[in-house]
Amino acid sequence: MTELRTETEHRPADGHEATMLLERARAEVDPVLRAAVGTLPGPMRRIARYHFGWEHADGTPAAGGSGKAIRPALVLAGASALGGPGARAAAVRAAAAVELVHNFTLLHDDVMDRDTTRRHRPTAWTVFGDAAAILAGDALQALALRLLAEDAHPAAPAAAARLAQCVIELCAGQHADTAMEGRPPRDVTLEETLAMAEAKTGALLGSACAVGALYADAPEADVAALDAFGREAGLAFQLIDDVIGIWGDPRHTGKPAGADLAARKKSLPVVAALTSGGPAAAELAALYAAPHAKEDLERITLTVERAGGRDWAQALAADRMARAMQELARAVPDPEAAGGLLALAEFVTRRTT
């Protein structure tokens, strides 16, 4: 744990440590990602490079960002916390695999949700078409599993099995999400929405942390605790992400304001508001049942807030983060050793834009 203590000894404040961890993870993982994507057949390679922000739609080089690298950073931080610098170095390919799975889900989600903007540019399906974006996503998932299949590390088979099971859970969560969209606004319960969010978001963050623990040769109890830590932090992340999806600034989020409300998505703050009872909940249900009208977005936003959706989501995010900290302490009782994981979890749940 010497390296981790050196990194956390003089810990910068205000999220700077997390930013450095993310930048370091991106620098370590990007070469593996680029090499893997470079093996794809031409059309899928072009779409993947566009999606990651490495190229423009015409194939010329671009300097766009390929995401924050939260999930690979969690893999590497988990390996470092439980196994030191050697485990971290060994886990880079696995971290790249987790990032490939994440981006496979983004490509598919954008098609299903009809999102037109991601990372401040048009989504892949709007540029290349639905079928091409879906196939590129499929290819990224296959690349992830190939990276692990070709990894000689003893933990690779267990990591591949865990990641494959995670994909199944992600698919179940996405299926639940899309099925909810066709149901009446007040017919969706808060419990099933929370379960859906854990499957869609918490599962991959939990798997990322668990994969890091596997590459540190940690005992099963510690692997399970880091998985639980990631799941709880992931649900907190989703709660805050849903808040940002409604009240965030498009200049920072890269997505149009109110897109989820316009699509009548039953995000966590919305479902909390719908099930809160009272006049505001009834008004929101009526608005959500009506056809989309652009002029209604401001009213819907205010109604969700009046019905308590925003306050509920922020309070539950804090509660889930507290649970995450308890799970982290089980696996990594030394606060210095746990510093990287803690900084990353706090970073993703303290966003305000």
Side-chain angles (χ1 to χ4, degrees):
M1 297 182 188
T2 305
E3 182 192 52
L4 187 57
R5 287 182 180 276
T6 300
E7 291 171 1
T8 58
E9 213 167 42
H10 305 291
R11 193 172 298 158
D14 300 327
H16 291 171
E17 181 189 2
T19 300
M20 291 193 303
L21 289 169
L22 293 169
E23 289 174 352
R24 181 182 174 190
R26 177 58 69 200
E28 291 171 307
V29 168
D30 260 11
V32 182
L33 286 175
R34 286 178 179 268
V37 168
T39 67
L40 292 175
M44 284 180 284
R45 182 171 65 244
R46 179 184 173 194
I47 297 165
R49 284 176 171 169
Y50 173 83
H51 170 75
F52 277 111
W54 303 333
E55 290 183 357
H56 295 295
D58 62 2
T60 57
S66 52
K68 295 183 178 67
I70 291 166
R71 290 151 191 84
L74 286 171
V75 174
L76 299 176
S80 185
L82 290 169
R88 179 189 178 97
V92 170
R93 284 176 65 88
V98 169
E99 184 71 341
L100 286 168
V101 165
H102 174 54
N103 281 276
F104 137 68
T105 68
L106 296 183
L107 281 162
H108 283 202
D109 284 358
D110 284 345
V111 173
M112 286 182 276
D113 296 341
R114 311 315 286 171
D115 286 336
T116 58
T117 307
R118 181 173 293 280
R119 297 167 184 161
H120 305 279
R121 66 199 317 222
T123 46
W125 73 268
T126 67
V127 177
F128 302 99
D130 290 3
I134 291 169
L135 289 169
D138 292 341
L140 293 188
Q141 183 191 6
L143 279 181
L145 295 178
R146 193 181 76 188
L147 280 180
L148 293 173
E150 294 174 351
D151 190 350
H153 194 282
R162 184 173 287 269
L163 203 53
Q165 182 58 40
C166 176
V167 169
I168 294 171
E169 189 173 354
L170 289 169
C171 291
Q174 180 65 12
H175 181 272
D177 189 18
T178 55
M180 284 179 190
E181 298 313 305
R183 291 163 57 186
R186 304 191 81 166
D187 188 40
V188 176
T189 69
L190 202 48
E191 290 74 15
E192 64 182 319
T193 311
L194 285 165
M196 175 271 294
E198 181 179 343
K200 283 191 62 176
T201 306
L204 188 53
L205 267 68
S207 289
C209 296
V211 165
L214 288 171
Y215 273 74
D217 194 26
E220 180 54 39
D222 289 348
V223 176
L226 277 199
D227 185 280
F229 159 74
R231 283 176 177 271
E232 295 290 359
L235 187 51
F237 170 91
Q238 187 60 57
L239 286 157
I240 297 301
D241 199 59
D242 284 353
V243 169
I244 292 170
I246 298 174
W247 293 279
D249 186 340
R251 292 173 298 180
H252 300 296
T253 65
K255 295 182 179 181
D260 286 353
L261 297 180
R264 301 299 193 259
K265 287 189 69 65
K266 298 176 179 70
S267 63
L268 287 162
V270 168
V271 176
L274 285 167
T275 57
S276 64
E283 180 182 353
L284 180 61
L287 288 167
Y288 245 55
H292 167 60
K294 189 174 182 180
E295 57 271 18
D296 286 340
L297 280 181
E298 184 175 354
R299 183 181 171 191
I300 293 174
T301 301
L302 291 171
T303 306
V304 173
E305 188 155 12
R306 284 194 295 111
R310 185 175 191 171
D311 289 343
W312 173 88
Q314 291 172 328
L316 187 61
D319 174 71
R320 292 294 181 157
M321 268 301 292
R323 296 189 194 187
M325 295 306 100
Q326 292 173 355
E327 296 292 347
L328 179 58
R330 285 174 51 204
V332 193
D334 179 358
E336 288 294 325
L341 288 166
L342 175 60
L344 290 169
E346 291 183 338
F347 173 82
V348 300
T349 56
R350 288 185 177 176
R351 299 168 303 148
T352 57
T353 58

